């Protein structure tokens, strides 16, 4: 029906007759001449209907926003004074010679000229996606996926599918379960990732695998997380962690170069311990110049127990954030930051303004200054290199609370005070993660997953001191987002069973959940390593948005629901009976409410 896309027209087409299909973006009646901006996925072009062309004006007068139409016309150059530099097609227009209304549109539930609520946009997503901003994002996503396939195909990776209906495995979140009609009372799990299957593919001899695959995690949502998400999944055999990082870093560098014409350069590498110490986060945003500084040794003997207690606790931390120019913050602003860190469990936020650095103790202003002697204050000023006009913010609590609270505060202050350079890209590899972390009850959990290999120790050494083990794992971070993560995998049966035992998974449970994997490890398993990228998150960064829903065609809300289709919904009672499932009355009443 069309001969060319609207957005692809330019001065080289002047004089040609074209056929265009799309939607009315705008209609203007200027004294007999009717102008429309016709839109398709590639952009806009202006069409003019002249009364001298017979048979068009009656139809043109009925056109309204979002009518779906077909236009036939001749491309002509606009006069120099009428060129629209804000449109890619602004040098030309179409003189309409034919017009067909394919479908009319009722008045729109969205106003394309105003800011609509996200709930409204998701309810009418099919209309929202017509907006050029949204269609450009979806097109960029398609280009990113195409680039990934071309790059990996060129580098000898094989695209291999893995099952969607599978068995539950511990991946750190709750599974979505699918009941089996054939095996009543039994359930499949939707994969949180293809982790075990891609390892089995390595054992099968397919030494370079990839897949752009849907994954599912039933967890609390946020702006950069969805219950179903798309992963670029990779696995390799006979490659070290450094080699995996090299090829995947090259993938991202070349993607940014091709799609954005941006050179990310060589990615620096930082150990996990350093990232946590300097930034309170294992995914630090290096566009932000602020860093945490430890001061426990300086305040361990002060009378102020808020600082002294965690300073003398081996599981505690006292760290400060020095904010250039922060002395201008009002008490109200400081109180708002105090409330903010409370979200992360912090009990308060001590502060010290440096009004005159040269005046020493006399030049500082702080509600805690009376608890600190001159030597402590001078030591703090020297350690932090605070200058006149700065403010020092204190975090003192359990180590994990300080890391989370002060790490988040660092990001917020950086944005609020415009210290973060939003015009640059800051990639980073974070490596050498702990193998395990301890919860509040003293139980150990895998930092990545239970199939991650430790670095440079035997199975016996791992079991003897699991808390000290460092994993051969790596995360790629970009502008404060973890965009990909992976590790060298355990390829030895004894090591895998040792890891399971440390996690409290006894032999019978090992056999029930992972018997197939443990069996496979007995038959000449090659060393293997891999990585998975979050495609949605990568595209979010490519598009310059901070909301992952902006780059998914039909996303869910933060309540894991689809406002357009009203999913999830109550199941048909007959279907539940066939599946041997009963729903408790309380749940039924909740669904009806």
């Amino acid at each position: 029906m069309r001969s060319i896309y609207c957005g692809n027209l330019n001065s080289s087409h002047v004089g040609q007759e074209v056929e265009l299909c799309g939607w009315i973006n705008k209609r203007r009646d200027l004294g007999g001449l009717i102008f429309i901006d016709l839109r398709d996925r590639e952009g806009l072009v202006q069409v003019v209907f002249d009364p001298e062309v017979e048979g068009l004006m009656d139809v043109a007068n009925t056109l309204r926003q979002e009518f779906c139409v077909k236009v036939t016309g001749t491309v002509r150059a606009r006069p120099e004074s009428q060129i629209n530099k804000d449109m890619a097609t602004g040098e030309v227009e179409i003189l309409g010679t034919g017009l067909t209304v394919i479908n009319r549109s009722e008045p729109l539930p969205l106003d394309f000229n105003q800011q609509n609520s996200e709930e409204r946009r998701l309810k009418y997503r099919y209309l929202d996606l017509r907006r050029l901003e949204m269609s450009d994002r979806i097109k960029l996503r398609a280009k990113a996926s195409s680039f990934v396939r071309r790059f990996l195909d060129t580098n000898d990776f094989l695209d291999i599918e893995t099952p969607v209906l599978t068995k539950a495995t511990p991946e750190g979140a709750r599974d979505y379960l699918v009941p089996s009609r054939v095996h009543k009372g039994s359930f499949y799990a939707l994969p949180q990732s293809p982790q075990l299957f891609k390892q089995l593919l390595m054992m099968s001899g397919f030494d370079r695998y990839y897949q752009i695959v849907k994954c599912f995690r039933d967890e609390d949502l946020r702006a950069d997380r969805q219950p179903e998400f798309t992963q670029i999944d990779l696995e390799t055999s006979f490659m070290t962690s450094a080699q995996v990082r090299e090829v995947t870093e090259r993938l991202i560098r070349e993607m940014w170069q091709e799609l954005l014409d941006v050179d990310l350069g060589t990615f620096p590498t930082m150990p996990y311990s350093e990232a946590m110490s300097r930034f309170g986060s294992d995914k630090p945003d290096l566009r932000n110049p602020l860093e945490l500084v430890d001061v426990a040794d300086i305040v361990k003997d002060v009378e102020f127990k808020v600082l002294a207690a965690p300073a003398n606790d081996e599981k505690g931390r006292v760290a400060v954030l020095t904010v250039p120019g922060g002395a201008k913050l009002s008490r109200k602003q400081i109180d708002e930051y105090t409330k903010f860190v409370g979200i992360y469990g912090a009990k308060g936020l001590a502060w010290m303004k440096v009004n005159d650095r040269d005046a020493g103790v006399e030049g500082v202003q702080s509600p805690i200054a009376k608890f600190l002697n001159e030597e402590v204050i001078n030591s703090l000023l020297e350690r932090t290199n605070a200058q006149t006009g700065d403010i020092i913010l204190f975090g003192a609590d359990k180590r994990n609370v300080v890391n989370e609270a002060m790490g988040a505060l660092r990001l917020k202050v950086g944005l609020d005070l415009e210290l973060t350079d939003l015009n640059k890209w800051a990639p980073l590899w974070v490596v050498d993660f702990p193998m395990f972390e301890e919860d509040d009850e003293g139980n150990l959990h895998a930092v990545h997953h239970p199939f991650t290999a430790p670095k440079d120790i035997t199975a016996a050494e791992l079991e003897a001191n699991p808390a000290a083990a460092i994993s051969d794992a790596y995360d790629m971070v970009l502008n404060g987002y973890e965009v990909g993560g992976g590790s060298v995998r355990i390829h030895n049966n004894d090591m895998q069973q040792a890891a399971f035992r440390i996690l409290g998974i006894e032999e019978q449970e090992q056999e029930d959940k992972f018997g197939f994997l443990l069996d496979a490890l007995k038959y000449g398993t090659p060393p293997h390593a891999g990585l998975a990228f979050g495609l949605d998150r990568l595209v979010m960064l490519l598009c310059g948005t901070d909301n992952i829903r902006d780059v998914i065609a039909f996303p869910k809300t933060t309540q894991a629901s689809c406002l357009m289709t009203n999913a999830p919904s109550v199941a048909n009672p007959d279907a539940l009976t066939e599946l041997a499932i009963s729903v408790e009355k309380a749940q039924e009443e909740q669904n009806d409410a």
Side-chain angles (χ1 to χ4, degrees):
M1 294 177 68
R2 63 158 60 98
S3 61
I4 191 171
Y5 283 111
C6 297
N8 290 343
L9 289 164
N10 55 53
S11 57
S12 70
H13 299 103
V14 170
Q16 295 182 18
E17 183 175 81
V18 295
E19 293 179 317
L20 307 174
C21 294
W23 290 268
I24 306 299
N25 196 68
K26 185 186 295 184
R27 175 187 177 277
R28 304 178 298 284
D29 190 336
L30 302 180
L33 290 177
I34 293 178
F35 292 84
I36 64 170
D37 289 342
L38 189 63
R39 184 191 73 244
D40 58 25
R41 77 173 207 193
E42 296 301 322
L44 300 167
V45 69
Q46 178 172 282
V47 181
V48 57
F49 296 106
D50 193 313
E52 295 183 5
V53 181
E54 294 185 10
L56 289 185
M57 298 308 288
D58 288 344
V59 180
N61 275 314
T62 69
L63 298 178
R64 296 293 181 271
Q65 188 180 17
E66 295 308 304
F67 275 30
C68 183
V69 300
K70 177 181 178 181
V71 171
T72 303
T74 303
V75 183
R76 67 184 188 184
R78 290 199 202 188
E80 186 72 28
S81 61
Q82 296 179 19
I83 290 176
N84 186 343
K85 296 181 180 180
D86 294 329
M87 290 176 62
T89 61
E91 293 182 350
V92 298
E93 64 183 10
I94 309 300
L95 176 61
T97 56
L99 172 62
T100 302
V101 176
I102 299 172
N103 244 322
R104 301 168 65 87
S105 173
E106 295 184 3
L108 298 175
L110 296 180
D111 188 339
F112 285 4
N113 297 315
Q114 295 185 8
Q115 195 77 16
N116 298 283
S117 69
E118 186 175 44
E119 290 77 12
R120 201 77 176 160
R121 290 172 54 207
L122 293 177
K123 174 71 174 176
Y124 298 98
R125 190 62 162 185
Y126 44 87
L127 294 177
D128 187 46
L129 289 173
R130 289 184 189 175
R131 296 190 300 119
L132 289 177
E133 180 182 38
M134 290 302 297
S135 63
D136 285 347
R137 289 168 177 167
I138 299 302
K139 288 190 304 184
L140 186 57
R141 182 187 179 106
K143 291 177 181 178
S145 296
S146 175
F147 175 85
V148 168
R149 294 187 188 281
R150 285 185 281 113
F151 178 93
L152 294 174
D153 289 344
T154 301
N155 283 272
D156 299 325
F157 284 81
L158 299 175
D159 184 357
I160 306 176
E161 295 179 349
T162 54
V164 173
L165 295 176
T166 183
K167 192 172 185 176
T169 57
E171 300 262 357
R174 289 179 293 274
D175 292 302
Y176 280 101
L177 300 178
V178 180
S180 170
R181 178 186 59 82
V182 177
H183 305 282
K184 288 182 171 56
S186 296
F187 295 80
Y188 300 101
L190 299 182
Q192 295 187 36
S193 80
Q195 181 60 47
L196 296 184
F197 285 105
K198 65 181 181 181
Q199 288 189 243
L200 291 167
L201 286 170
M202 297 303 101
M203 300 171 195
S204 304
F206 299 102
D207 63 322
R208 291 196 179 194
Y209 140 94
Y210 85 92
Q211 189 180 185
I212 299 180
V213 59
K214 279 289 186 186
C215 301
F216 307 86
R217 294 183 182 179
D218 185 6
E219 57 188 349
D220 295 335
L221 305 184
R222 58 192 183 202
D224 65 339
R225 182 182 287 168
Q226 282 278 291
E228 52 179 324
F229 57 96
T230 306
Q231 198 164 277
I232 305 168
D233 202 45
L234 311 173
E235 196 75 10
T236 68
S237 296
F238 308 110
M239 287 181 70
T240 64
S241 56
Q243 291 171 321
V244 172
R245 292 201 303 272
E246 186 280 326
V247 71
T248 52
E249 179 179 321
R250 189 155 42 87
L251 165 64
I252 298 303
R253 279 209 316 267
E254 292 184 17
M255 180 190 292
W256 252 247
Q257 190 73 62
E258 178 168 311
L259 300 183
L260 297 184
D261 194 25
V262 167
D263 182 3
L264 292 176
T266 302
F267 294 10
T269 300
M270 182 181 296
Y272 168 88
S273 58
E274 181 182 343
M276 298 303 294
S277 174
R278 293 171 60 188
F279 308 109
S281 171
D282 60 1
K283 49 181 186 296
D285 187 348
L286 299 186
R287 299 173 302 168
N288 182 330
L290 302 180
E291 295 192 18
L292 300 180
V293 175
D294 285 298
V295 296
D297 59 314
I298 296 176
V299 299
K300 66 179 181 178
D301 296 323
V302 301
E303 295 180 7
F304 192 43
K305 297 302 181 185
V306 171
L307 297 181
N312 288 281
D313 183 350
E314 63 177 13
K315 294 184 178 181
R317 185 180 186 190
V318 182
V320 298
L321 196 65
T322 304
V323 182
K328 64 185 178 185
L329 291 173
S330 68
R331 185 58 188 264
K332 180 181 178 182
Q333 289 172 303
I334 295 173
D335 288 344
E336 288 175 354
Y337 287 137
T338 302
K339 290 179 182 178
F340 176 78
V341 296
I343 297 171
Y344 301 90
K347 300 179 183 67
L349 183 66
W351 54 271
M352 181 182 290
K353 291 185 177 182
V354 184
N355 297 323
D356 184 353
R357 177 65 176 87
D358 295 333
V361 174
E362 299 300 321
V364 303
Q365 172 192 355
S366 171
I368 66 169
K370 59 187 177 183
F371 301 109
L372 310 178
N373 61 38
E374 183 174 356
E375 180 182 357
V376 168
I377 291 176
N378 285 331
S379 295
L380 288 170
L381 295 174
E382 184 176 347
R383 175 76 58 86
T384 60
N385 194 30
Q387 303 298 314
T388 298
D390 295 351
I391 190 171
I392 302 172
L393 303 174
F394 292 76
D397 210 306
K398 294 294 184 184
R399 180 174 298 275
N400 63 320
V401 172
V402 171
N403 288 341
E404 288 190 28
M406 298 301 286
L409 181 64
R410 169 182 174 267
L411 297 178
K412 181 170 177 57
V413 170
L415 292 173
D416 289 351
L417 302 187
E418 299 182 347
L419 301 172
T420 302
D421 186 351
L422 299 179
N423 296 314
K424 66 182 286 189
W425 295 96
L428 174 71
W429 282 110
V430 177
V431 299
D432 293 346
F433 288 80
M435 184 87 169
F436 305 102
E437 60 186 354
E438 187 177 305
D439 63 20
D440 293 337
E441 285 75 42
N443 300 313
L444 291 178
H445 299 275
V447 170
H448 280 78
H449 53 62
F451 318 108
T452 298
K455 290 185 73 171
D456 306 323
I457 58 173
T458 65
E461 291 169 334
L462 178 66
E463 287 200 84
N465 191 7
I470 299 298
S471 66
D472 203 350
Y474 34 84
D475 282 358
M476 183 187 290
V477 177
L478 185 56
N479 289 4
Y481 289 96
E482 178 199 330
V483 295
S487 67
V488 173
R489 322 302 187 186
I490 295 172
H491 66 279
N492 174 276
N493 195 303
D494 291 339
M495 182 68 80
Q496 186 63 76
Q497 288 184 309
F500 285 154
R501 285 193 294 270
I502 291 168
L503 294 169
I505 304 174
E506 300 301 331
E507 287 190 16
Q508 187 57 53
E509 188 179 0
Q510 292 179 29
E511 184 60 35
D512 292 342
K513 291 185 175 180
F514 310 108
F516 62 96
L517 176 69
L518 294 174
D519 283 344
L521 287 170
K522 299 173 185 176
Y523 302 109
T525 301
H528 53 285
L531 180 142
F533 288 109
L535 177 62
D536 310 301
R537 203 169 286 177
L538 286 172
V539 177
M540 181 183 76
L541 290 169
L542 286 167
C543 290
T545 178
D546 59 0
N547 190 334
I548 208 166
R549 292 185 290 278
D550 286 342
V551 299
I552 299 173
F554 300 104
K556 304 290 191 296
T557 68
T558 53
Q559 298 301 313
S561 62
C562 175
L563 298 181
M564 185 180 67
T565 64
N566 290 323
S569 58
V570 177
N572 184 301
D574 292 337
L576 292 177
T577 299
E578 192 172 18
L579 293 166
I581 292 176
S582 63
V583 178
E584 293 181 9
K585 187 175 182 179
Q587 291 177 322
E588 292 179 330
E589 291 174 349
Q590 185 178 358
N591 289 333
D592 291 338

